[in-house]
Amino acid sequence: MTESSNASTAGGPPSPTGRPATEPAVEAATASNGAGRARQSAVYLAGVMGRMPSVPVSYPRLVSAAKRAMSKEAFAYVAGSAGLETTATANRRAFAKHRIVPRVLRDVASRDLGVDLLGRRRATPFYLAPIGVLDLAHPDADTAAAKVAARLGIPIALSTQASTPMEEVTRAAPAASAWFQLYWSSSRELTESLVHRAEAAGCEALLVTLDTHLLGWRPRDLDLGYLPFAHGRGIAQYTSDPVFMHLVEQRAAAPRQGARPKATMSGLRALVEMSSRTPGPLTRNLRSPIPRAAVETFLDVFADPTLTWSDLTWLRSITTLPIVLKGILHAEDARAAVEAGADALIVSNHGGRQVDGAVAALDALPAVLEAVAGRMPVLFDSGVRSGADAFVALALGAAAVGIGRPWVYGLAAGGETGAREVLQNLVAEFDITMALAGARTVADIDRSTLAGG
Ligand code: FNR
């Protein structure tokens, strides 16, 4: 960035984990009083008693509150995008090109925000996009996010770059519908281990992110010389992995190449940071080569830029989880995804964090949908900031809408409560937009609800 509803009670197909096939109703929703009105009433009635929302509802104010709560490095990492950040700007501008045309006199008293997605009925069309290094926003990080997701009945994608191992997160929030986002490592054994851990931890789908086999060129982070992973942050899925730790031990045992860097205060601080994030007692880690070897090993094996479409056959052979390809922007890639047997795809440009000057994700959506021609669900993220934005993405044909930075800012500004309120506000505004646009169900939100549609 430059910067009701009556949640359906309809049962869906059985879940792969054996949990109930229907998500719990969105908390604020009741049959007679939709999510939108419920949230509005809660906020206005609390206001009568002098209590304000715990984080700002207005998006620019939310960003400011998060900025105040975060270190400058943390804010730069979350808010920053690639290059001149024109892709992030384009993501926002693309929404402004589409205008909703409200319809009237359609009895919208009762609304259903539910959708069928990846084998289950969901209370809303939203999901929490995968976000790495959440402890930059708040120490409760992934666990807080998963608890919010569980409470609101919104699926969450757990990142490969998480601050907390996936097993710990799914244990802390067993009711959450969790997906695992995979960064495909150059170590096949590690990739396989991550996938099997995700299955064992109860994750219901694999989101394979294809647009980040290299980190984008991010001037905000470069100007601060700050990459969280180099400080041992955001590598908890790795340091909790037996295959990864075996690679680390091998590296630590090998004779050190090159001269030792001169000790500096920030170098020492980084060593303490790395050591405190490596499993085991801090005093032992401080004297051990393991924390530094873990960071170096991570930087070596993080991604595999040699991958091609044919490698997906191997991934398919090692898991029965649905495979969702994240980061598709071209119609030909969408067709290749169908041919490769993917179960779904996500139109996303990673929130503008990878390629500056890239097509806005929303602008790429129609051509991808045309290429897919209904053969698999097409999810969407990048630039969604409001319930009305979600409405537009769904009207263009998205099957579900991923929320990224907004809830991270909520987490930074107000912890678990802040993240929850941001998502409740999004669901509430979406519900109200549906009602005022004349849509009773998500299926009613089609191109005809947009100007020129
Ligand atoms: C991300 N995103 C991301 N995607 C992914 O597949 N794995 C990851 O670990 C991360 N990590 C991450 C960290 C931060 C701080 C941000 C902001 C984003 C991308 C994310 O899933 C999603 O595609 C974008 O956030 C969508 O853009 P907006 O709507 O947040 O601008």
Side-chain angles (χ1 to χ4, degrees):
M1 56 153 272
T2 27
E3 34 207 282
S4 195
S5 130
N6 14 341
S8 170
T9 48
S15 97
T17 57
R19 291 201 208 114
T22 302
E23 294 293 319
V26 168
E27 189 175 74
T30 64
S32 59
N33 187 2
R37 272 183 60 200
R39 178 78 188 137
Q40 271 178 330
S41 305
V43 170
Y44 290 140
L45 291 176
V48 172
M49 307 309 289
R51 288 196 310 273
M52 295 300 126
S54 70
V55 295
V57 176
S58 123
Y59 188 71
R61 276 196 231 118
L62 174 67
V63 177
S64 303
K67 188 174 183 181
R68 282 195 299 277
M70 295 166 96
S71 71
K72 64 178 186 310
E73 289 84 4
F75 184 75
Y77 185 74
V78 174
S81 288
L84 299 174
E85 307 197 338
T86 65
T87 302
T89 307
N91 282 342
R92 291 300 309 140
R93 292 208 173 129
F95 280 97
K97 288 188 264 181
H98 299 280
R99 314 306 306 169
I100 299 163
V101 185
R103 301 292 305 274
V104 296
L105 294 176
R106 291 185 146 203
D107 182 6
V108 289
S110 157
R111 298 172 296 284
D112 181 358
L113 275 59
V115 293
D116 290 318
L117 183 66
L118 296 175
R120 294 175 76 172
R121 184 79 185 164
R122 316 283 173 175
T124 79
F126 293 100
Y127 65 93
L128 274 66
I131 303 286
V133 214
L134 280 173
D135 71 321
L136 289 174
H138 193 276
D140 296 344
D142 309 88
T143 305
K147 285 183 179 167
V148 168
R151 189 158 160 183
L152 301 185
I154 297 179
I156 178 169
L158 306 177
S159 165
T160 305
Q161 301 313 131
S163 303
T164 319
M166 57 184 115
E167 294 82 359
E168 214 176 292
V169 175
T170 53
R171 253 198 318 273
S177 171
W179 304 335
F180 180 65
Q181 175 271 323
L182 176 71
Y183 281 132
W184 187 319
S185 163
S186 59
S187 157
R188 279 284 153 113
E189 296 74 27
L190 175 57
T191 303
E192 185 162 1
S193 177
L194 289 168
V195 168
H196 289 151
R197 283 174 59 199
E199 287 175 340
C203 295
E204 298 165 5
L206 266 189
L207 269 56
V208 188
T209 302
L210 301 176
D211 57 19
T212 310
H213 50 81
L214 272 177
L215 210 59
W217 182 255
R218 300 182 188 162
R220 293 201 212 197
D221 299 336
L222 290 161
D223 273 340
L224 293 167
Y226 185 74
L227 180 69
F229 317 118
H231 293 249
R233 296 180 90 136
I235 60 169
Q237 308 291 21
Y238 299 81
T239 52
S240 56
D241 192 283
V243 172
F244 180 80
M245 287 315 283
H246 183 65
L247 296 174
V248 172
E249 277 151 23
Q250 279 176 336
R251 176 183 286 263
R256 229 188 128 75
Q257 305 284 320
R260 256 173 204 289
K262 243 175 91 186
T264 61
M265 271 316 283
S266 14
L268 283 174
R269 264 199 304 274
L271 185 65
V272 174
E273 224 184 333
M274 283 177 212
S275 302
S276 66
R277 292 196 164 80
T278 304
L282 177 63
T283 45
R284 193 195 66 197
N285 286 340
L286 280 170
R287 277 178 276 115
S288 148
I290 294 288
R292 189 189 298 275
V295 167
E296 290 170 356
T297 307
F298 162 73
L299 293 171
D300 263 6
V301 303
F302 159 64
D304 183 356
T306 71
L307 292 176
T308 65
W309 288 102
S310 58
D311 289 298
L312 290 172
T313 315
W314 174 78
L315 188 63
R316 184 69 292 164
S317 76
I318 63 158
T319 183
T320 52
L321 290 178
I323 294 177
V324 182
L325 301 181
K326 176 171 185 274
I328 302 287
L329 294 166
H330 198 290
E332 274 174 28
D333 285 348
R335 273 190 285 273
V338 174
E339 276 156 31
D343 296 283
L345 59 80
I346 306 179
V347 171
S348 162
N349 59 24
H350 216 106
R353 294 163 71 78
Q354 286 300 94
V355 178
D356 193 26
V359 61
L362 195 74
D363 288 339
L365 182 59
V368 167
L369 281 162
E370 200 184 319
V372 167
R375 288 175 287 175
M376 61 164 84
V378 174
L379 289 66
F380 173 85
D381 77 43
S382 292
V384 178
R385 300 290 176 264
S386 70
D389 288 345
F391 186 100
V392 168
L394 293 163
L396 291 177
V401 177
I403 306 301
R405 288 175 173 111
W407 66 264
V408 182
Y409 291 138
L411 185 66
E416 187 179 324
T417 308
R420 172 167 48 84
E421 287 193 8
V422 166
L423 288 161
Q424 282 177 320
N425 294 341
L426 271 159
V427 173
E429 190 195 342
F430 174 67
D431 176 45
I432 286 172
T433 306
M434 270 179 73
L436 294 176
R440 261 195 305 257
T441 68
V442 174
D444 292 340
I445 307 172
D446 59 18
R447 285 235 184 196
S448 73
T449 60
L450 299 180

